[in-house]
Amino acid sequence: MGGPAGGPGVDPDSTAQIITQSHTSAPRPRDTAAREEAELRDYRAAFAVARSAMALLSPEGDVLAANPALATLLGAAPERLAAVGAGALLGLAGDPHARAAFHDVLTGRRDRLRCTRRITRQDGAALLAEVTLSRTGANPLLLTVEDVGERDALREQLRHLRMHDPVTRLPNRALFFERLTDACDSAPGRGTGRIGLCYLDLDGFKAVNDTLGHRVGDELLAAVARRLLACAEPGGHLVARLGGDEFALLVRDSTGTGQATALAESVLTALQQPFDVAGQRLAVSASIGVVEREAPGSSATGLMQAADTTLYWAKADGKARWTLFDPERNEHRMTRQALSRTLRQAVERGEFVLDYQPLVALDTGELRGVEALVRWEHPHFGRLAPNRFIGLAEEDGSIVQLGRWVLAEGCRQARAWQLAHPAAPLVVSVNVAVRQMWDSDLVADVAEILADTGLPPRLLQLELTESAVMGSAGRPLQALHALHEMGVRIAIDDFGTGYSNLAYMSRLPVSALKLDGSFVQGFRSAEHPNPADETIVEALVDLAHRLGLTVTAECVENAEQAERLRRIGCDTGQGWHYSRPVGPDVISGLLH
């Protein structure tokens, strides 16, 4: 730098003299003076060669000595640093708060100051520096200046790499959640106070990766990202890649549902044109879940959960479309999940009950039997009909446990009726799910329950759907024959909606058919009869009787239907014309 070795503008002896002033107060023995002189030389050497930019300040804040590193950092001539006011050097004039703190250290009110300042170099360039001013126990004070601009730039560069997707160069999941959280936390009164979110997933993208490789897949993702940016840029919306083939678009200060759905529609339109990637012409579509709501009270996690649910609906509804979040539909989904989680425990807690619907002889009006229908007495949702939980039970396998309970309770009640009314024995008809045929030993269960309850096998009828028995082979077919040989009746429920293969059914141990209620609907009005329905039912009844099967008509709602079914030859009827499903006490009253 052209200055002496002790620092710019100050010779080594002067620097030593400045440092010595803080250590010299009285005459000392010769050996002590020699030792301190050696220490001072070490201080002077360290001060001169230190990589840290440093200066010694007077109590008034003037630079007494500066090392070469500080001169280089500030781009100033060495002689200009001596006797310069540190306040002007650090640009404290325009910052009263920093200037007051600086003065407190000079006057001894505080021992140290550390702050970040933007300093102007001699050549006019700006420098972001971390400044530290410390008291050394006596005069002078020590000032250190560290350039943090490069450090902050590197930190920002690393953050950018950490928060952006390398394939599409879009913000990644972490940055998107950061911006989404910030949007949710916006102060009330700022902007519209609403927020919109489009969460999309490419339809069939996995096939591209599997057939053409991940390199082509990555190129396709980058091309999709460019089209999404083109859709979002006019409105200044954020686009991010959340991972895989999932993207999201954030609408801050949404003007309403229409803005979010219009954005989703523009994305679908943009993706309709094929992509030319790596010599391949590829077509993709997207399913989009759209959520739009008030920002206050919303959370990033809640919004993403809602968007994910809505995206699932879009795929379930046929893909290549957007679907708007529906609170009512979501409530139904949440209810399904809540019911599914507690199904198994509900059986153990005894939350299920049985109602019974009469099966009545169409020719005499005599009560021939009852169908056992399960109800869930849910502690939160109240009484639930089978359509609310049977499908869930079949999905998670708890139908086996529930079905066995229904079978046992139905047989127990039928035995109680038999003992109380031996002259009027009732057949109890119990539904059996497909999974019960495959996932349990139904024959062993029935045998054990009949033995425990004492119910004669002839008073038990098991109802199975056509799909459960048509084409049966192996274990299910063996079970049907074993049950038949045991004396249990087998009925086909909802007959006419499935295979309706009477020729095949003639080889099964079936005792009865229950015609699906859709056939009976054509019998409702004498003024506008449906001849086709009556012809079909008459043919089915005649064929069933020729095969030795009895026929029950379901969903009989009035006397006219009952009479026409009787004339056709149906054996029994079931429906609201006779009775809704009722408790066992009501059935007992009918037997008197």
Side-chain angles (χ1 to χ4, degrees), residues 380-393:
H380 178 69
F381 299 110
R383 171 169 279 217
L384 301 178
N387 64 331
R388 296 289 300 278
F389 59 86
I390 289 298
L392 297 175

Side-chain angles (χ1 to χ4, degrees), residues 182-347:
D182 180 67
C184 292
D185 294 342
S186 295
R190 279 181 51 190
T192 65
R194 301 190 66 84
I195 188 170
L197 178 61
C198 296
Y199 182 28
L200 67 96
D201 176 277
L202 299 181
D203 302 322
F205 176 75
K206 184 177 183 299
V208 175
N209 264 349
D210 292 345
T211 57
L212 301 178
H214 289 274
R215 184 182 64 82
V216 175
D218 286 350
E219 290 186 30
L220 177 59
L221 290 173
V224 168
R226 289 191 290 272
R227 293 195 188 179
L228 295 180
L229 284 171
C231 294
E233 281 176 348
H237 309 309
L238 175 70
V239 183
R241 181 191 177 198
L242 304 187
D245 59 343
E246 297 178 356
F247 296 83
L249 295 89
L250 175 62
V251 180
R252 295 194 66 150
D253 294 325
S254 168
T255 58
T257 299
Q259 183 182 21
T261 56
L263 178 60
E265 188 64 40
S266 70
V267 168
L268 292 179
T269 301
L271 296 181
Q272 284 179 354
Q273 295 298 319
F275 292 83
D276 293 317
V277 177
Q280 303 282 339
R281 195 165 180 79
L282 304 176
V284 296
S285 61
S287 300
I288 309 176
V290 181
V291 181
E292 200 279 341
R293 61 179 57 165
E294 291 185 352
S298 299
S299 69
T301 300
L303 278 167
M304 287 304 298
Q305 286 176 341
D308 184 60
T309 296
T310 313
L311 172 60
Y312 170 80
W313 295 343
K315 285 191 172 295
D317 292 344
K319 301 182 180 181
R321 67 191 64 216
W322 59 262
T323 300
L324 183 65
F325 181 77
D326 179 359
E328 184 175 342
R329 185 174 179 180
N330 185 61
E331 181 64 27
H332 178 69
R333 180 185 68 91
M334 298 296 289
T335 301
R336 276 179 58 89
Q337 290 179 346
L339 295 179
S340 181
R341 286 195 303 268
T342 57
L343 252 172
R344 293 183 185 274
Q345 295 84 349
V347 178

Side-chain angles (χ1 to χ4, degrees), residues 208-559:
V208 175
N209 264 349
D210 292 345
T211 57
L212 301 178
H214 289 274
R215 184 182 64 82
V216 175
D218 286 350
E219 290 186 30
L220 177 59
L221 290 173
V224 168
R226 289 191 290 272
R227 293 195 188 179
L228 295 180
L229 284 171
C231 294
E233 281 176 348
H237 309 309
L238 175 70
V239 183
R241 181 191 177 198
L242 304 187
D245 59 343
E246 297 178 356
F247 296 83
L249 295 89
L250 175 62
V251 180
R252 295 194 66 150
D253 294 325
S254 168
T255 58
T257 299
Q259 183 182 21
T261 56
L263 178 60
E265 188 64 40
S266 70
V267 168
L268 292 179
T269 301
L271 296 181
Q272 284 179 354
Q273 295 298 319
F275 292 83
D276 293 317
V277 177
Q280 303 282 339
R281 195 165 180 79
L282 304 176
V284 296
S285 61
S287 300
I288 309 176
V290 181
V291 181
E292 200 279 341
R293 61 179 57 165
E294 291 185 352
S298 299
S299 69
T301 300
L303 278 167
M304 287 304 298
Q305 286 176 341
D308 184 60
T309 296
T310 313
L311 172 60
Y312 170 80
W313 295 343
K315 285 191 172 295
D317 292 344
K319 301 182 180 181
R321 67 191 64 216
W322 59 262
T323 300
L324 183 65
F325 181 77
D326 179 359
E328 184 175 342
R329 185 174 179 180
N330 185 61
E331 181 64 27
H332 178 69
R333 180 185 68 91
M334 298 296 289
T335 301
R336 276 179 58 89
Q337 290 179 346
L339 295 179
S340 181
R341 286 195 303 268
T342 57
L343 252 172
R344 293 183 185 274
Q345 295 84 349
V347 178
E348 298 169 359
R349 289 193 297 262
E351 294 178 3
F352 292 93
V353 297
L354 292 184
D355 280 347
Y356 299 88
Q357 188 169 35
L359 302 173
V360 178
L362 288 172
D363 54 353
T364 65
E366 178 185 357
L367 181 62
R368 292 284 181 83
V370 292
E371 181 181 355
L373 300 168
V374 65
R375 307 290 190 249
W376 187 352
E377 297 286 3
H378 196 280
H380 178 69
F381 299 110
R383 171 169 279 217
L384 301 178
N387 64 331
R388 296 289 300 278
F389 59 86
I390 289 298
L392 297 175
E394 289 177 336
E395 289 174 10
D396 68 8
S398 60
I399 190 65
V400 174
Q401 181 186 15
L402 177 59
R404 194 181 193 285
W405 178 87
V406 171
L407 183 62
E409 178 61 19
C411 289
R412 184 200 64 77
Q413 183 60 61
R415 176 59 171 165
W417 284 323
Q418 184 199 18
L419 293 175
H421 309 280
L426 285 184
V427 174
V428 64
S429 192
V430 177
N431 290 279
V432 176
V434 176
R435 290 195 68 163
Q436 285 179 266
M437 298 289 294
W438 285 99
D439 297 351
S440 70
D441 192 340
L442 183 62
V443 176
D445 286 346
V446 170
E448 181 181 349
I449 290 170
L450 291 177
D452 290 344
T453 60
L455 182 70
R458 60 185 174 82
L459 297 183
L460 174 62
Q461 177 173 275
L462 300 180
E463 295 188 20
L464 299 94
T465 61
E466 288 184 60
S467 59
V469 297
M470 290 303 179
S472 293
R475 183 176 180 181
L477 184 58
Q478 294 170 5
L480 291 178
H481 282 288
L483 292 167
H484 177 71
E485 292 171 4
M486 194 185 298
V488 174
R489 294 166 55 88
I490 306 295
I492 303 302
D493 193 18
D494 299 328
F495 186 79
T497 60
Y499 298 89
S500 303
N501 189 335
L502 284 167
Y504 180 79
M505 193 166 298
S506 66
R507 297 190 289 272
L508 295 174
V510 174
S511 307
L513 300 182
K514 297 187 71 175
L515 294 181
D516 185 72
S518 59
F519 290 109
V520 180
Q521 289 179 359
F523 290 68
R524 285 184 177 178
S525 172
E527 297 178 3
H528 304 286
N530 187 334
D533 283 343
E534 189 161 337
T535 301
I536 292 172
V537 171
E538 187 173 2
L540 289 175
V541 170
D542 182 62
L543 286 171
H545 285 168
R546 289 175 181 272
L547 294 172
L549 308 176
T550 61
V551 180
T552 297
E554 297 182 301
C555 301
V556 181
E557 297 181 358
N558 56 54

Side-chain angles (χ1 to χ4, degrees), residues 36-58:
E36 291 184 354
E37 182 63 28
E39 291 177 355
L40 290 175
R41 285 197 299 271
D42 292 339
Y43 294 155
R44 186 169 63 249
F47 185 77
V49 302
R51 297 179 62 183
S52 298
M54 297 186 293
L56 298 176
L57 305 186
S58 70

